[in-house]
Amino acid sequence: VTPPEDVIKRIKSDSKAVREARTRIAPLGDFVDGFDWPVRGRISGVFGSQRILNGKPRAPHYGIDIAAPRGTPVQAPASGLVTLVKDLYFSGWTVIINHGLGLNSSFLHLDHVVINIGDSVSRGDMIGTVGSTGRSTGPHLDWRLDWQGRRIDASLVAGPMSPSG
């Protein structure tokens, strides 16, 4: 639960990289047409749930966890500019896509990444594959949305998950 003292510096550096990636300016993407689910699978964690670690309440979960087999392709849910691709201590291989107007999607625990910082992605482009990197208990995608620093439940903007779309 509590990271070793020798990785605290890395964690602080990771947090700074994420903050900077979220503030980059990007052209307006097509998110006004809604968001697609980046991967299909069983919802294994919901937005806002209280996490209890070693009997102590921790920060709520700010993403939606989608369990899927390791290696399952993850697609951009809307177009945007890639502002972060980095292996972070807690979230493992992480990608942030800025969709414009300060709206960012984050994809955590990826096994493999196929895009780079500065790439423009279109809706449906593959960005990586489901994994279990960082602090994770099994293969899944943790998808998060933030708008100008405010957390948003991605399931509310993507709508119900159906097998085909």
Side-chain angles (χ1 to χ4, degrees):
V1 174
T2 304
E5 196 60 40
D6 61 331
V7 297
I8 296 295
K9 186 176 180 180
R10 177 182 175 194
I11 293 168
K12 288 180 181 179
S13 174
D14 288 352
S15 294
K16 181 180 178 191
V18 168
R19 280 192 309 275
E20 288 173 358
R22 287 181 176 156
T23 60
R24 293 223 14 224
I25 303 297
L28 181 61
D30 64 357
F31 75 87
V32 294
D33 296 327
F35 282 87
D36 296 337
W37 284 93
V39 70
R40 303 246 177 286
R42 179 179 59 83
I43 302 299
S44 58
V46 296
F47 179 88
S49 57
Q50 177 67 62
R51 294 183 289 184
I52 307 292
L53 303 172
N54 289 345
K56 296 182 181 182
R58 299 292 180 166
H61 188 251
Y62 290 121
I64 183 161
D65 291 337
I66 308 161
R70 182 184 312 273
T72 302
V74 175
Q75 300 174 320
S79 64
L81 177 70
V82 178
T83 59
L84 181 80
V85 175
K86 191 170 182 180
D87 184 12
L88 304 177
Y89 181 78
F90 286 116
S91 58
W93 279 104
T94 301
V95 167
I96 296 179
I97 298 174
N98 185 318
H99 302 288
L101 300 178
L103 181 62
N104 298 283
S105 281
S106 299
F107 309 88
L108 287 59
H109 308 297
L110 298 169
D111 189 55
H112 181 70
V113 176
V114 298
I115 44 132
N116 297 296
I117 293 174
D119 287 353
S120 291
V121 295
S122 297
R123 178 186 302 266
D125 285 353
M126 184 173 164
I127 61 171
T129 61
V130 170
S132 186
T133 58
R135 285 204 171 173
S136 169
T137 58
H140 73 286
L141 175 69
D142 181 343
W143 178 30
R144 299 177 178 212
L145 279 177
D146 73 88
W147 176 61
Q148 299 182 2
R150 292 167 188 88
R151 311 293 185 157
I152 299 170
D153 183 349
S155 69
L156 297 178
V157 300
M161 186 185 307
S162 65
S164 61

